Amino acid sequence: MDWAGWALFGLVATAALTAAMITAQLAGLTRLDLPLVLGTFVTQDPDRARIVGFFLHLCAGQGFALGYAATFALLYRATWWIGALLGIVHVGIALTVLLPLLPGVHPRMASQRAGPASTAVLEPPGLFALNYGIQTPLVTAVVHVVYGVCLGLLLQAR
């Protein structure tokens, strides 16, 4: 397995993905602010949460990059299209499993069943994160496919 490539390119691909998500959020294409969502696990302060969340997302991205690197090693090849396919699987799991489960474990996120009395500061993402905007699934899918393509191009299959 390409350990050096994983260590470097996992960070590069994750930083690019996170920057693209932040840019899309600031451009109004989605209301999903991933650094805020992740950082509010740790702190209530939104400014600090975004910083902490950025680094938490880098760590999570490294974990996923390890999975990509292991898959490339098992297949004995790393290509952009295999990376893109892995990106589609990755985003599918994120949008249908990980994000919808967040309200069950996130201390500052409302659940789908929370009523007007909820004191949560974050709304639940819902299936495909549609609660954060109709374009959110598309934006999220595109940046994860780009993440996979980057890893497919940069990592070695050894």
Side-chain angles (χ1 to χ4, degrees):
M1 195 161 88
D2 183 8
W3 291 104
W6 162 74
L8 175 62
F9 300 130
L11 283 176
V12 169
T14 305
L17 180 150
T18 308
M21 285 297 295
I22 291 169
T23 301
Q25 193 257 334
L26 292 173
L29 298 175
T30 178
R31 290 187 308 106
L32 179 58
D33 185 343
L34 248 146
L36 178 68
V37 169
L38 294 175
T40 51
F41 266 108
V42 179
T43 180
Q44 273 183 256
D45 181 85
D47 295 324
R48 289 176 197 237
R50 283 185 178 93
I51 294 167
V52 171
F54 176 80
F55 288 104
L56 287 173
H57 196 246
L58 281 180
C59 291
Q62 277 298 95
F64 279 104
L66 183 61
Y68 282 66
T71 302
F72 295 144
L74 287 171
L75 296 173
Y76 299 106
R77 62 192 303 201
T79 65
W80 68 268
W81 62 270
I82 294 173
L85 289 174
L86 291 173
I88 291 168
V89 171
H90 181 173
V91 76
I93 292 168
L95 290 175
T96 61
V97 178
L98 298 178
L99 284 174
L101 287 176
L102 264 182
V105 296
H106 199 298
R108 294 176 182 85
M109 184 176 281
S111 73
Q112 295 286 31
R113 293 171 294 285
S118 174
T119 58
V121 295
L122 296 173
E123 67 180 312
L127 185 63
F128 301 118
L130 284 169
N131 290 354
Y132 292 126
I134 194 76
Q135 293 175 315
T136 299
L138 178 62
V139 168
T140 307
V142 167
V143 299
H144 281 82
V145 167
V146 169
Y147 171 85
V149 168
C150 287
L151 290 175
L153 291 172
L154 298 171
L155 290 175
Q156 301 295 314
R158 49 183 146 134

